Amino acid sequence: MEYIKKITCNDPGVCKKTESFLQSQQWAEFKSRFGWKPFAFLIEWEGYGVTPLLTLYRCIVPRFSFTYIPWGPELPENFPAEFRTEALEELALKLKPLIMPDNVFIRFEPPWLINEKEDALHIETTLRRASASVQPPDTVIINIDPSCEEILNNMKQKWRYNISLSGKKNVKVNCSRDIETFYKLLKETALRDGIAVHSIDYYKALFEIFGDLNLRLYIASHEDDYLAAIVVLLREKTATYLYGASSNKKRNFMAAYALQWKAIQDAKKAGCLYYDLFGIPPDDDPNHPMAGLYRFKTGFGGKIIHRTGAWDYPVKPAFYYIFYLAEKLRKKIMNLKKQKPKKNINKEAAQKLKFQDNSIETKIE
């Protein structure tokens, strides 16, 4: 059975009203400034209408490139869930002659939700699970349609306490365009947590393209000290927490909690129904290098959801296998770096840090 009637090449402008910002015209423009070449298509589904698709092409070395599809395809609203796996396989086959001739593989990261114990895709012929995901397949989404009182009541008690404590400590949260201060905090976070960050031009371009109304920078301060900052993107019904950074100063002032609560309230006022904390480990394994991130984000009372993760369609299998092994090795090295031992701290200090924000910058490519 065929699900796709026709695929036609189009301008990225056809992606103007996609549900996800990662499939949007703005994201195409943004990524085009940093080594990616966007290509857009219109997919005409058999009996289900037409949907846009944004793809991002990148050359790694001469004659070796790949196509990446973040959170795509967005299927028609009435498309049967039981057929989506076969539809993805068909899409890969029909995109093959339309992509650049030096493509080694196509990487899909579908936005579809799955059950925790459900096998993401049941394909063993043309698609294979990627060695690493680019976007976080697991996240926490808070329903912010209820009253603020209800949203608070759905949080863990300690999280409500920390939000209140930040107020008592006189932590101030302001919506700002001070990208330089945000970047200083980001570099401080990177040094402390051993993560990589983009250049400041990357974040400036993000704000330039998505604009004042859609992209918001919140900075928390106390007296003359900047304590933490977050970046939140509003699109359609969802606000998404993209980046977070924090200072080493006054960690017990709970600035991270004040930031999230302010962003949630503003997103609700702007008409959003959901607040996506955008990325957690797959479960609450205390040995996971980002276990603190899991504890922090799940404490806000949202629903834990799981997506399929990344799947690759090898266009040139021999070259793809080399890339697959190299990426797998890189991921292993990065995980080992995240697991490096922390400096010793005494029990009293550890207890004070227990409920503080352990989040680091979410990796968004």
Side-chain angles (χ1 to χ4, degrees), residues 337-361:
K337 286 181 178 179
K338 289 177 184 177
Q339 292 172 345
K340 66 181 180 179
K342 306 285 185 181
K343 292 181 180 180
N344 291 329
I345 57 176
N346 59 41
K347 290 183 178 179
E348 182 180 355
Q351 186 63 31
K352 289 181 180 179
L353 290 170
K354 185 176 180 182
F355 291 107
Q356 290 179 18
D357 179 16
N358 292 307
S359 65
I360 60 173
E361 183 203 25

PDB file of all heavy atoms in Angstrom, residues 337-361:
ATOM      1  N   LYS A 337      33.141  11.808  29.553  1.00  0.00           N
ATOM      2  CA  LYS A 337      33.494  13.133  30.072  1.00  0.00           C
ATOM      3  C   LYS A 337      32.446  13.634  31.053  1.00  0.00           C
ATOM      4  O   LYS A 337      32.762  14.265  32.058  1.00  0.00           O
ATOM      5  CB  LYS A 337      33.641  14.121  28.917  1.00  0.00           C
ATOM      6  CG  LYS A 337      34.909  13.922  28.099  1.00  0.00           C
ATOM      7  CD  LYS A 337      35.011  14.959  26.989  1.00  0.00           C
ATOM      8  CE  LYS A 337      36.300  14.787  26.198  1.00  0.00           C
ATOM      9  NZ  LYS A 337      36.402  15.781  25.093  1.00  0.00           N
ATOM     10  N   LYS A 338      31.162  13.347  30.743  1.00  0.00           N
ATOM     11  CA  LYS A 338      30.081  13.779  31.633  1.00  0.00           C
ATOM     12  C   LYS A 338      30.127  13.047  32.964  1.00  0.00           C
ATOM     13  O   LYS A 338      29.649  13.553  33.981  1.00  0.00           O
ATOM     14  CB  LYS A 338      28.726  13.531  30.968  1.00  0.00           C
ATOM     15  CG  LYS A 338      28.430  14.464  29.809  1.00  0.00           C
ATOM     16  CD  LYS A 338      27.110  14.103  29.162  1.00  0.00           C
ATOM     17  CE  LYS A 338      26.836  14.972  27.944  1.00  0.00           C
ATOM     18  NZ  LYS A 338      25.580  14.578  27.258  1.00  0.00           N
ATOM     19  N   GLN A 339      30.700  11.846  32.950  1.00  0.00           N
ATOM     20  CA  GLN A 339      30.745  11.039  34.164  1.00  0.00           C
ATOM     21  C   GLN A 339      31.989  11.279  34.997  1.00  0.00           C
ATOM     22  O   GLN A 339      32.222  10.602  35.977  1.00  0.00           O
ATOM     23  CB  GLN A 339      30.668   9.556  33.792  1.00  0.00           C
ATOM     24  CG  GLN A 339      29.327   9.149  33.218  1.00  0.00           C
ATOM     25  CD  GLN A 339      29.319   7.731  32.675  1.00  0.00           C
ATOM     26  OE1 GLN A 339      30.369   7.129  32.463  1.00  0.00           O
ATOM     27  NE2 GLN A 339      28.134   7.197  32.458  1.00  0.00           N
ATOM     28  N   LYS A 340      32.798  12.276  34.597  1.00  0.00           N
ATOM     29  CA  LYS A 340      34.025  12.532  35.351  1.00  0.00           C
ATOM     30  C   LYS A 340      33.675  12.909  36.778  1.00  0.00           C
ATOM     31  O   LYS A 340      32.678  13.568  37.046  1.00  0.00           O
ATOM     32  CB  LYS A 340      34.833  13.639  34.680  1.00  0.00           C
ATOM     33  CG  LYS A 340      34.172  15.015  34.698  1.00  0.00           C
ATOM     34  CD  LYS A 340      35.036  16.018  33.998  1.00  0.00           C
ATOM     35  CE  LYS A 340      34.378  17.413  34.022  1.00  0.00           C
ATOM     36  NZ  LYS A 340      35.211  18.413  33.356  1.00  0.00           N
ATOM     37  N   PRO A 341      34.498  12.468  37.756  1.00  0.00           N
ATOM     38  CA  PRO A 341      34.170  12.718  39.165  1.00  0.00           C
ATOM     39  C   PRO A 341      34.131  14.193  39.500  1.00  0.00           C
ATOM     40  O   PRO A 341      34.915  14.992  38.994  1.00  0.00           O
ATOM     41  CB  PRO A 341      35.306  12.005  39.915  1.00  0.00           C
ATOM     42  CG  PRO A 341      36.387  11.813  38.917  1.00  0.00           C
ATOM     43  CD  PRO A 341      35.745  11.746  37.578  1.00  0.00           C
ATOM     44  N   LYS A 342      33.153  14.570  40.321  1.00  0.00           N
ATOM     45  CA  LYS A 342      33.029  15.955  40.786  1.00  0.00           C
ATOM     46  C   LYS A 342      34.000  16.192  41.944  1.00  0.00           C
ATOM     47  O   LYS A 342      34.475  15.255  42.585  1.00  0.00           O
ATOM     48  CB  LYS A 342      31.599  16.224  41.265  1.00  0.00           C
ATOM     49  CG  LYS A 342      30.528  15.897  40.240  1.00  0.00           C
ATOM     50  CD  LYS A 342      30.479  16.923  39.166  1.00  0.00           C
ATOM     51  CE  LYS A 342      29.320  16.632  38.211  1.00  0.00           C
ATOM     52  NZ  LYS A 342      29.248  17.619  37.128  1.00  0.00           N
ATOM     53  N   LYS A 343      34.266  17.476  42.202  1.00  0.00           N
ATOM     54  CA  LYS A 343      35.093  17.803  43.363  1.00  0.00           C
ATOM     55  C   LYS A 343      34.380  17.375  44.631  1.00  0.00           C
ATOM     56  O   LYS A 343      33.166  17.457  44.743  1.00  0.00           O
ATOM     57  CB  LYS A 343      35.357  19.310  43.396  1.00  0.00           C
ATOM     58  CG  LYS A 343      36.244  19.786  42.260  1.00  0.00           C
ATOM     59  CD  LYS A 343      36.484  21.282  42.370  1.00  0.00           C
ATOM     60  CE  LYS A 343      37.370  21.765  41.237  1.00  0.00           C
ATOM     61  NZ  LYS A 343      37.613  23.220  41.327  1.00  0.00           N
ATOM     62  N   ASN A 344      35.164  16.933  45.608  1.00  0.00           N
ATOM     63  CA  ASN A 344      34.578  16.481  46.864  1.00  0.00           C
ATOM     64  C   ASN A 344      33.959  17.659  47.610  1.00  0.00           C
ATOM     65  O   ASN A 344      34.535  18.733  47.716  1.00  0.00           O
ATOM     66  CB  ASN A 344      35.659  15.847  47.752  1.00  0.00           C
ATOM     67  CG  ASN A 344      36.144  14.529  47.187  1.00  0.00           C
ATOM     68  OD1 ASN A 344      35.380  13.818  46.545  1.00  0.00           O
ATOM     69  ND2 ASN A 344      37.410  14.214  47.416  1.00  0.00           N
ATOM     70  N   ILE A 345      32.750  17.426  48.107  1.00  0.00           N
ATOM     71  CA  ILE A 345      32.106  18.421  48.954  1.00  0.00           C
ATOM     72  C   ILE A 345      31.596  17.709  50.198  1.00  0.00           C
ATOM     73  O   ILE A 345      31.316  16.515  50.170  1.00  0.00           O
ATOM     74  CB  ILE A 345      30.949  19.131  48.239  1.00  0.00           C
ATOM     75  CG1 ILE A 345      29.911  18.106  47.740  1.00  0.00           C
ATOM     76  CG2 ILE A 345      31.455  19.954  47.087  1.00  0.00           C
ATOM     77  CD1 ILE A 345      28.694  18.744  47.114  1.00  0.00           C
ATOM     78  N   ASN A 346      31.484  18.425  51.313  1.00  0.00           N
ATOM     79  CA  ASN A 346      31.051  17.773  52.537  1.00  0.00           C
ATOM     80  C   ASN A 346      29.560  17.513  52.523  1.00  0.00           C
ATOM     81  O   ASN A 346      28.828  17.984  51.652  1.00  0.00           O
ATOM     82  CB  ASN A 346      31.454  18.620  53.766  1.00  0.00           C
ATOM     83  CG  ASN A 346      30.846  20.011  53.731  1.00  0.00           C
ATOM     84  OD1 ASN A 346      29.680  20.171  53.357  1.00  0.00           O
ATOM     85  ND2 ASN A 346      31.635  21.018  54.115  1.00  0.00           N
ATOM     86  N   LYS A 347      29.092  16.737  53.460  1.00  0.00           N
ATOM     87  CA  LYS A 347      27.689  16.322  53.495  1.00  0.00           C
ATOM     88  C   LYS A 347      26.752  17.513  53.628  1.00  0.00           C
ATOM     89  O   LYS A 347      25.680  17.536  53.041  1.00  0.00           O
ATOM     90  CB  LYS A 347      27.458  15.332  54.639  1.00  0.00           C
ATOM     91  CG  LYS A 347      28.108  13.975  54.405  1.00  0.00           C
ATOM     92  CD  LYS A 347      27.783  13.022  55.548  1.00  0.00           C
ATOM     93  CE  LYS A 347      28.385  11.650  55.302  1.00  0.00           C
ATOM     94  NZ  LYS A 347      28.091  10.719  56.418  1.00  0.00           N
ATOM     95  N   GLU A 348      27.147  18.510  54.446  1.00  0.00           N
ATOM     96  CA  GLU A 348      26.281  19.674  54.652  1.00  0.00           C
ATOM     97  C   GLU A 348      26.098  20.437  53.339  1.00  0.00           C
ATOM     98  O   GLU A 348      24.996  20.827  52.976  1.00  0.00           O
ATOM     99  CB  GLU A 348      26.908  20.590  55.705  1.00  0.00           C
ATOM    100  CG  GLU A 348      26.038  21.815  56.013  1.00  0.00           C
ATOM    101  CD  GLU A 348      26.677  22.708  57.056  1.00  0.00           C
ATOM    102  OE1 GLU A 348      27.738  22.328  57.590  1.00  0.00           O
ATOM    103  OE2 GLU A 348      26.120  23.782  57.311  1.00  0.00           O
ATOM    104  N   ALA A 349      27.199  20.609  52.602  1.00  0.00           N
ATOM    105  CA  ALA A 349      27.113  21.309  51.322  1.00  0.00           C
ATOM    106  C   ALA A 349      26.290  20.517  50.322  1.00  0.00           C
ATOM    107  O   ALA A 349      25.512  21.079  49.552  1.00  0.00           O
ATOM    108  CB  ALA A 349      28.520  21.555  50.764  1.00  0.00           C
ATOM    109  N   ALA A 350      26.466  19.194  50.348  1.00  0.00           N
ATOM    110  CA  ALA A 350      25.709  18.341  49.425  1.00  0.00           C
ATOM    111  C   ALA A 350      24.214  18.463  49.689  1.00  0.00           C
ATOM    112  O   ALA A 350      23.404  18.482  48.760  1.00  0.00           O
ATOM    113  CB  ALA A 350      26.156  16.896  49.571  1.00  0.00           C
ATOM    114  N   GLN A 351      23.826  18.538  50.954  1.00  0.00           N
ATOM    115  CA  GLN A 351      22.419  18.662  51.295  1.00  0.00           C
ATOM    116  C   GLN A 351      21.852  19.994  50.804  1.00  0.00           C
ATOM    117  O   GLN A 351      20.734  20.063  50.313  1.00  0.00           O
ATOM    118  CB  GLN A 351      22.234  18.546  52.815  1.00  0.00           C
ATOM    119  CG  GLN A 351      20.795  18.526  53.271  1.00  0.00           C
ATOM    120  CD  GLN A 351      20.048  17.318  52.740  1.00  0.00           C
ATOM    121  OE1 GLN A 351      20.630  16.252  52.537  1.00  0.00           O
ATOM    122  NE2 GLN A 351      18.763  17.472  52.487  1.00  0.00           N
ATOM    123  N   LYS A 352      22.644  21.060  50.899  1.00  0.00           N
ATOM    124  CA  LYS A 352      22.193  22.369  50.424  1.00  0.00           C
ATOM    125  C   LYS A 352      21.998  22.376  48.914  1.00  0.00           C
ATOM    126  O   LYS A 352      21.133  23.065  48.385  1.00  0.00           O
ATOM    127  CB  LYS A 352      23.211  23.451  50.822  1.00  0.00           C
ATOM    128  CG  LYS A 352      23.226  23.769  52.314  1.00  0.00           C
ATOM    129  CD  LYS A 352      24.238  24.846  52.612  1.00  0.00           C
ATOM    130  CE  LYS A 352      24.254  25.181  54.105  1.00  0.00           C
ATOM    131  NZ  LYS A 352      25.260  26.213  54.411  1.00  0.00           N
ATOM    132  N   LEU A 353      22.823  21.608  48.221  1.00  0.00           N
ATOM    133  CA  LEU A 353      22.756  21.578  46.762  1.00  0.00           C
ATOM    134  C   LEU A 353      21.712  20.607  46.234  1.00  0.00           C
ATOM    135  O   LEU A 353      21.416  20.595  45.050  1.00  0.00           O
ATOM    136  CB  LEU A 353      24.120  21.183  46.187  1.00  0.00           C
ATOM    137  CG  LEU A 353      25.235  22.222  46.340  1.00  0.00           C
ATOM    138  CD1 LEU A 353      26.576  21.616  45.959  1.00  0.00           C
ATOM    139  CD2 LEU A 353      24.972  23.428  45.466  1.00  0.00           C
ATOM    140  N   LYS A 354      21.145  19.813  47.117  1.00  0.00           N
ATOM    141  CA  LYS A 354      20.300  18.695  46.702  1.00  0.00           C
ATOM    142  C   LYS A 354      19.172  19.101  45.772  1.00  0.00           C
ATOM    143  O   LYS A 354      18.888  18.423  44.787  1.00  0.00           O
ATOM    144  CB  LYS A 354      19.717  18.006  47.933  1.00  0.00           C
ATOM    145  CG  LYS A 354      18.909  16.759  47.607  1.00  0.00           C
ATOM    146  CD  LYS A 354      18.443  16.080  48.881  1.00  0.00           C
ATOM    147  CE  LYS A 354      17.626  14.838  48.566  1.00  0.00           C
ATOM    148  NZ  LYS A 354      17.116  14.186  49.775  1.00  0.00           N
ATOM    149  N   PHE A 355      18.509  20.198  46.067  1.00  0.00           N
ATOM    150  CA  PHE A 355      17.345  20.579  45.280  1.00  0.00           C
ATOM    151  C   PHE A 355      17.619  21.767  44.371  1.00  0.00           C
ATOM    152  O   PHE A 355      16.713  22.421  43.916  1.00  0.00           O
ATOM    153  CB  PHE A 355      16.168  20.897  46.210  1.00  0.00           C
ATOM    154  CG  PHE A 355      15.642  19.682  46.902  1.00  0.00           C
ATOM    155  CD1 PHE A 355      15.890  19.477  48.243  1.00  0.00           C
ATOM    156  CD2 PHE A 355      14.917  18.730  46.205  1.00  0.00           C
ATOM    157  CE1 PHE A 355      15.400  18.350  48.877  1.00  0.00           C
ATOM    158  CE2 PHE A 355      14.430  17.602  46.841  1.00  0.00           C
ATOM    159  CZ  PHE A 355      14.667  17.410  48.182  1.00  0.00           C
ATOM    160  N   GLN A 356      18.884  22.032  44.113  1.00  0.00           N
ATOM    161  CA  GLN A 356      19.186  23.130  43.217  1.00  0.00           C
ATOM    162  C   GLN A 356      19.160  22.657  41.776  1.00  0.00           C
ATOM    163  O   GLN A 356      19.167  21.469  41.485  1.00  0.00           O
ATOM    164  CB  GLN A 356      20.549  23.738  43.566  1.00  0.00           C
ATOM    165  CG  GLN A 356      20.496  24.488  44.906  1.00  0.00           C
ATOM    166  CD  GLN A 356      21.832  25.064  45.280  1.00  0.00           C
ATOM    167  OE1 GLN A 356      22.684  25.207  44.445  1.00  0.00           O
ATOM    168  NE2 GLN A 356      22.007  25.385  46.545  1.00  0.00           N
ATOM    169  N   ASP A 357      19.157  23.608  40.863  1.00  0.00           N
ATOM    170  CA  ASP A 357      19.056  23.304  39.433  1.00  0.00           C
ATOM    171  C   ASP A 357      20.345  22.666  38.938  1.00  0.00           C
ATOM    172  O   ASP A 357      21.391  23.281  38.945  1.00  0.00           O
ATOM    173  CB  ASP A 357      18.793  24.598  38.664  1.00  0.00           C
ATOM    174  CG  ASP A 357      18.706  24.351  37.169  1.00  0.00           C
ATOM    175  OD1 ASP A 357      18.553  23.200  36.766  1.00  0.00           O
ATOM    176  OD2 ASP A 357      18.786  25.344  36.443  1.00  0.00           O
ATOM    177  N   ASN A 358      20.255  21.403  38.523  1.00  0.00           N
ATOM    178  CA  ASN A 358      21.400  20.720  37.943  1.00  0.00           C
ATOM    179  C   ASN A 358      21.353  20.750  36.427  1.00  0.00           C
ATOM    180  O   ASN A 358      22.081  20.017  35.765  1.00  0.00           O
ATOM    181  CB  ASN A 358      21.420  19.262  38.420  1.00  0.00           C
ATOM    182  CG  ASN A 358      21.717  19.175  39.898  1.00  0.00           C
ATOM    183  OD1 ASN A 358      22.693  19.717  40.366  1.00  0.00           O
ATOM    184  ND2 ASN A 358      20.847  18.509  40.650  1.00  0.00           N
ATOM    185  N   SER A 359      20.465  21.565  35.875  1.00  0.00           N
ATOM    186  CA  SER A 359      20.309  21.553  34.429  1.00  0.00           C
ATOM    187  C   SER A 359      21.495  22.219  33.741  1.00  0.00           C
ATOM    188  O   SER A 359      22.153  23.087  34.279  1.00  0.00           O
ATOM    189  CB  SER A 359      19.028  22.292  34.024  1.00  0.00           C
ATOM    190  OG  SER A 359      19.121  23.641  34.346  1.00  0.00           O
ATOM    191  N   ILE A 360      21.757  21.757  32.513  1.00  0.00           N
ATOM    192  CA  ILE A 360      22.756  22.357  31.673  1.00  0.00           C
ATOM    193  C   ILE A 360      22.107  22.705  30.351  1.00  0.00           C
ATOM    194  O   ILE A 360      20.942  22.413  30.136  1.00  0.00           O
ATOM    195  CB  ILE A 360      23.964  21.431  31.460  1.00  0.00           C
ATOM    196  CG1 ILE A 360      23.505  20.123  30.807  1.00  0.00           C
ATOM    197  CG2 ILE A 360      24.674  21.163  32.743  1.00  0.00           C
ATOM    198  CD1 ILE A 360      24.647  19.218  30.416  1.00  0.00           C
ATOM    199  N   GLU A 361      22.840  23.318  29.464  1.00  0.00           N
ATOM    200  CA  GLU A 361      22.267  23.733  28.197  1.00  0.00           C
ATOM    201  C   GLU A 361      21.752  22.535  27.409  1.00  0.00           C
ATOM    202  O   GLU A 361      22.444  21.550  27.246  1.00  0.00           O
ATOM    203  CB  GLU A 361      23.326  24.472  27.367  1.00  0.00           C
ATOM    204  CG  GLU A 361      22.754  24.989  26.054  1.00  0.00           C
ATOM    205  CD  GLU A 361      23.823  25.209  25.011  1.00  0.00           C
ATOM    206  OE1 GLU A 361      24.880  24.571  25.083  1.00  0.00           O
ATOM    207  OE2 GLU A 361      23.580  26.004  24.105  1.00  0.00           O
TER     208      GLU A 361
END
